[in-house]
């Protein structure tokens, strides 16, 4: 059986979710591997949300918000960007390839861009293979006991 990556996508309500919705209404197909979670703003996404998604079975996490300067809460996407850089620095220490987490910007009119992003990210995660973080943790715990 071929490997199908599981991708969790956190999308801000005002731009990126609407962009993904536009892809749907415009009948632009994209990888069915992407499971969308809508949040009001990308600034709402805490690093713990991303780690929880990875811990509970996601092989990759996509975070999308309004383009810089367009956040409906003024600076939420800048907050998301700062958190993203911080999280990226930590992922390697957890034994997770940083490429498994991506932040990007999608406006409400960019259904096509969202579809391309979802497809491209899915293929990148497919190339990385399944996340074996749980196995790493189990081995680390086994060594520690
Ligand atoms: S409302 Fe879209 S990133 Fe803040």
């Amino acid at each position: 059986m071929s490997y199908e990556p599981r991708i969790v996508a956190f999308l801000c309500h005002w731009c990126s979710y609407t962009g993904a919705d536009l892809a749907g209404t415009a009948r632009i197909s994209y990888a069915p591997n992407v499971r969308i979670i809508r949040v009001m703003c990308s600034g709402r996404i805490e690093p713990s949300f991303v780690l929880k998604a990875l811990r509970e079975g996601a092989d990759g996490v996509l975070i999308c918000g309004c383009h810089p300067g367009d956040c409906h809460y003024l600076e939420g996407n800048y907050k998301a960007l700062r958190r993203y850089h911080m999280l990226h620095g930590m992922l390697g220490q957890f034994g997770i390839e940083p490429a498994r987490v991506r932040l990007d910007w999608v406006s409400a009119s960019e259904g096509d861009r969202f579809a391309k992003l979802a497809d491209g990210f899915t293929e990148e995660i497919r190339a990385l293979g399944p996340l074996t973080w749980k196995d790493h943790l189990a081995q680390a715990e086994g060594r520690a006991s």
Side-chain angles (χ1 to χ4, degrees):
M1 198 168 117
S2 68
Y3 161 63
E4 285 300 331
R6 282 173 293 207
I7 313 284
V8 170
F10 292 102
L11 309 183
C12 87
H13 169 77
W14 297 104
C15 281
S16 305
Y17 184 84
T18 308
D21 197 36
L22 177 63
T25 53
R27 297 179 182 261
I28 302 168
S29 64
Y30 60 87
N33 309 61
V34 178
R35 317 287 160 85
I36 293 173
I37 297 176
R38 179 171 54 169
V39 294
M40 290 310 287
C41 175
S42 63
R44 176 69 185 92
I45 301 159
E46 297 175 19
S48 61
F49 295 4
V50 175
L51 294 174
K52 184 171 188 217
L54 294 170
R55 193 174 63 238
E56 295 193 359
D59 299 305
V61 175
L62 181 61
I63 302 166
C64 295
C66 307
H67 285 270
D70 290 345
C71 173
H72 291 240
Y73 302 97
L74 302 179
E75 297 192 351
N77 48 7
Y78 292 116
K79 185 176 178 182
L81 184 60
R82 288 194 298 273
R83 284 177 161 172
Y84 172 70
H85 286 308
M86 185 190 75
L87 184 60
H88 245 222
M90 292 167 48
L91 288 173
Q93 294 174 33
F94 290 134
I96 300 170
E97 299 93 339
R100 290 187 184 274
V101 179
R102 160 95 56 89
L103 171 69
D104 217 316
W105 316 121
V106 174
S107 79
S109 63
E110 293 179 321
D112 189 44
R113 177 176 161 74
F114 176 77
K116 285 187 179 128
L117 187 59
D119 285 346
F121 188 60
T122 299
E123 289 317 307
E124 285 172 31
I125 299 301
R126 189 188 304 282
L128 284 174
L131 178 61
T132 54
W133 192 27
K134 277 186 182 168
D135 299 341
H136 285 306
L137 281 178
Q139 284 172 6
E141 284 168 3
R143 281 195 298 268
S145 60

